[in-house]
Amino acid sequence: MNRRHCAAAAITLVCALTALTAPVQAYAAPAPPSPSATQHQSGSKAPKKSLEEVREEIDALYRKAGAATDAYNLAEEKAKKQSGEIVKLARAIVQGQAKIAELKAQAGAQAREQYRTGGLPPGAQFMLSDDPQLFLDGVNRVREGQQAAQGVLGELTRTQQDLETYTQDASTNWEKLEAGRLKQAEAKKKINAQIAAAKKLESQLKKEERARLLKLEQEAEYKLQTTWLSSGALKDINREASASGKKAVAFATTQIGKPYVWGAEGPDSYDCSGLTSQAWAAAGRPIPRTSQEQWRLLRHIAIKDMRPGDLIIYHSDASHVGMYIGDGAIVHAPRPGRNVTLAGAGSMQILGVVRPDK
């Protein structure tokens, strides 16, 4: 890369940093097709779904929205990290440009001095003397001058190479940032579509049907929790929370009643992993932002070794997380339309348990 072009590119990059905080473009959620509008080829309407089938469909839509929320949160986390890297590189580029200007000024001063002395360094004049001591002094001065000139040129070359590397790294990070923004926007589009579809299904129900739907949801959770407890899962679970775990549990339970909002990390609303990550941050132990990253990076614990403060990861795709608080219960942010609440630890399909601290 031409160095002058490299410096120009660096200046452009620094100016572009003002765009780092630009929000992701919002997408309007496409209206999902109404199941009631579907007709058989004979022209008759499709059979009306049972309330249980509607519940399962709504649950599936919200689970898909949860998975898309995890993708959105992960893309957002990476974007923040890449933005930080670009800022650091931009500062290094500016510092490198200033250093190059300083070194060029030094080299120019040395060249002008040689021109004024007829091309001979000042020490060379002593080398022409008949005095042995002056001759030796002249030799030393010439040697020192040569070393100084070589040092300036060598440092100038290294700084220019570093500047080219910084610029290339910044360009690469910028490309990754833009790619991440596209993924983030796509995830946001999917979230809005899934939530809109679920809300549309619920809005088509009568008031008494919505009440019955909530009861069916609670009954399904109760059935899963009862089955889990009947398996003897709690038999050996009687461990006390760590000091940090107690702080995390205290924070999480204080948020009960606040609404679920996808992508939210508080203080007024949370999504599932926003609640758990903020709870552990409050306990002095930062953890990954998303439930999938929490499952991937945190230490896995057997259910029988579970203690309050540990995180239970749910569903095969690790798309949901709750915090175990003891006595077979969790605190979690369930889904859109629900608030942070307590629930049975076995009321959803458990993938596994992770522990944020030792």
Side-chain angles (χ1 to χ4, degrees):
M1 180 186 294
N2 183 275
R3 288 170 181 155
R4 185 174 298 173
H5 176 70
C6 172
I11 296 172
T12 302
L13 178 64
V14 173
C15 295
L17 288 173
T18 56
L20 287 176
T21 56
V24 177
Q25 180 180 357
Y27 288 82
S34 172
S36 61
T38 305
Q39 295 184 339
H40 293 293
Q41 292 182 352
S42 62
S44 61
K45 291 185 178 180
K48 185 178 180 179
K49 295 180 180 178
S50 69
L51 203 54
E52 176 60 25
E53 289 175 327
V54 173
R55 185 196 69 78
E56 290 177 355
E57 187 172 350
I58 289 174
D59 184 59
L61 286 168
Y62 279 126
R63 277 192 55 196
K64 289 179 181 178
T69 297
D70 233 32
Y72 176 90
N73 290 336
L74 183 59
E76 183 178 43
E77 191 174 34
K78 287 182 177 179
K80 289 179 181 178
K81 182 178 179 180
Q82 286 160 354
S83 295
E85 288 297 320
I86 291 172
V87 170
K88 290 179 182 178
L89 288 167
R91 289 172 179 165
I93 288 170
V94 172
Q95 292 171 356
Q97 290 172 331
K99 186 65 175 177
I100 286 174
E102 179 185 343
L103 292 170
K104 284 183 176 179
Q106 291 181 23
Q110 291 175 348
R112 288 190 295 272
E113 179 63 25
Q114 287 188 3
Y115 178 78
R116 284 195 297 270
T117 58
L120 290 174
Q125 298 173 10
F126 292 101
M127 293 175 65
L128 302 177
S129 172
D130 293 333
D131 188 323
Q133 186 59 47
L134 289 177
F135 176 81
L136 292 175
D137 289 343
V139 170
N140 289 332
R141 290 191 183 187
V142 169
R143 183 181 296 113
E144 289 172 357
Q146 289 175 338
Q147 290 175 344
Q150 290 174 353
V152 169
L153 292 177
E155 189 173 358
L156 178 61
T157 300
R158 288 192 299 272
T159 304
Q160 288 174 328
Q161 290 173 343
D162 289 343
L163 185 59
E164 290 177 2
T165 301
Y166 294 151
T167 304
Q168 182 60 46
D169 289 347
S171 298
T172 300
N173 274 278
W174 189 267
E175 291 172 1
K176 289 180 179 179
L177 179 62
E178 290 303 304
R181 280 178 168 167
L182 291 176
K183 289 182 180 179
Q184 198 173 351
E186 182 62 27
K188 184 174 183 178
K189 184 178 178 181
K190 288 180 180 179
I191 294 165
N192 286 334
Q194 302 293 351
I195 292 176
K199 287 182 176 179
K200 185 175 180 65
L201 280 175
E202 287 188 89
S203 68
Q204 292 171 344
L205 300 174
K206 297 178 181 179
K207 183 178 179 180
E208 58 271 19
E209 287 178 320
R210 287 198 293 273
R212 175 62 181 156
L213 183 70
L214 178 58
K215 188 175 181 180
L216 286 174
E217 182 181 308
Q218 293 171 341
E219 288 175 350
E221 292 177 355
Y222 177 76
K223 182 179 179 180
L224 286 172
Q225 174 73 354
T226 302
T227 301
W228 184 67
L229 293 176
S230 299
S231 69
L234 283 182
K235 183 179 179 181
D236 298 322
I237 301 178
N238 57 2
R239 290 165 179 77
E240 186 176 342
S242 64
S244 297
K246 289 178 181 178
K247 292 179 182 178
V249 169
F251 179 94
T253 52
T254 302
Q255 313 311 310
I256 290 175
K258 294 183 179 180
Y260 176 106
V261 174
W262 68 264
E265 299 178 81
D268 299 321
S269 57
Y270 297 88
D271 62 21
C272 66
S273 56
L275 176 64
T276 54
S277 60
Q278 288 302 304
W280 272 100
R285 174 70 171 91
I287 63 173
R289 167 65 177 87
T290 71
S291 58
Q292 292 176 347
E293 289 296 282
Q294 289 169 6
W295 173 245
R296 187 174 72 88
L297 297 175
L298 298 180
R299 184 161 62 104
H300 289 207
I301 299 295
I303 291 179
K304 65 181 180 63
D305 296 325
M306 189 165 57
R307 70 188 186 194
D310 289 344
L311 306 181
I312 302 181
I313 309 297
Y314 293 96
H315 309 307
S316 59
D317 58 357
S319 58
H320 191 70
V321 59
M323 178 179 291
Y324 185 65
I325 61 171
D327 297 325
I330 61 167
V331 57
H332 73 143
R335 65 167 177 80
R338 299 285 187 265
N339 297 330
V340 176
T341 187
L342 298 179
S347 60
M348 294 169 282
Q349 177 194 356
I350 296 177
L351 177 62
V353 181
V354 294
R355 178 166 295 165
D357 61 346
K358 294 182 180 179

